[in-house]
Amino acid sequence: MTPLFNQVVTAYRKRILGTIARLIGRPEDVEDVGQEVFLRLYYSLDQLRTPEVFEPWLYRLTVNASYDYLRKQRRRNESRMSDLSEQQVMMADAVAGGKVSGEEQRQKQVKELVDSLLGAVSEQDRILLTLKEVEGLSIKELEKIYAVNENALKVRLFRARQRVLNAFEASQANTVRPGERKD
């Protein structure tokens, strides 16, 4: 690899790996997916026509590699103890030992709720919402990534948010609060 390409990797590595981590939800596989993104970038650089579209193009490569990873995982669809990250195992041990503070527990519950709600919608919705709401990409940046116009993107975002809201309302309807009866 060229020194110039190494500079590109160095400049974008942290952002791309952060995006991948939020999209795939398995910290132990982030590096592998990131490596796939940068390999795809390296082998397709000759297709880049103008420098202005580089970042949206890189995000598109990231999203596509994440989709590919998620598809493979869905095919595997096995859940093993070894699939848990070290952090998840440590958190489970700490909770079992009563070592987690109230604030950490609350943060964990919020994260679990968000993960659960995003897990209740399609991969496309989850990735779009993650790019917009977590990564903070603008509508213009998303237009370039998804190659659709602003209105179509706003409709997609609205519908994705509605599906998450519906999932939240359904989860709340299924929750019985202390002192309440579920009929």
Side-chain angles (χ1 to χ4, degrees), residues 52-94:
E52 296 82 39
V53 298
F54 175 75
E55 281 194 27
W57 185 52
L58 182 56
Y59 266 105
R60 186 76 241 161
L61 289 173
T62 304
V63 168
N64 287 342
S66 298
Y67 272 139
D68 292 346
Y69 168 84
L70 291 168
R71 271 189 226 99
K72 287 177 190 170
Q73 290 299 27
R74 198 173 337 122
R75 276 188 234 126
R76 263 186 64 210
N77 205 13
E78 337 176 315
S79 184
R80 301 178 303 232
M81 186 66 163
S82 63
D83 286 341
L84 295 176
S85 70
E86 184 177 330
Q87 181 182 10
Q88 290 169 319
V89 172
M90 287 173 44
M91 184 64 91
D93 287 344

Side-chain angles (χ1 to χ4, degrees), residues 142-161:
L142 290 171
E143 279 182 72
K144 292 175 185 172
I145 292 170
Y146 283 93
V148 297
N149 69 37
E150 180 178 348
N151 290 333
L153 192 57
K154 286 181 178 180
V155 168
R156 282 186 189 181
L157 279 165
F158 175 79
R159 289 180 179 159
R161 288 175 180 138

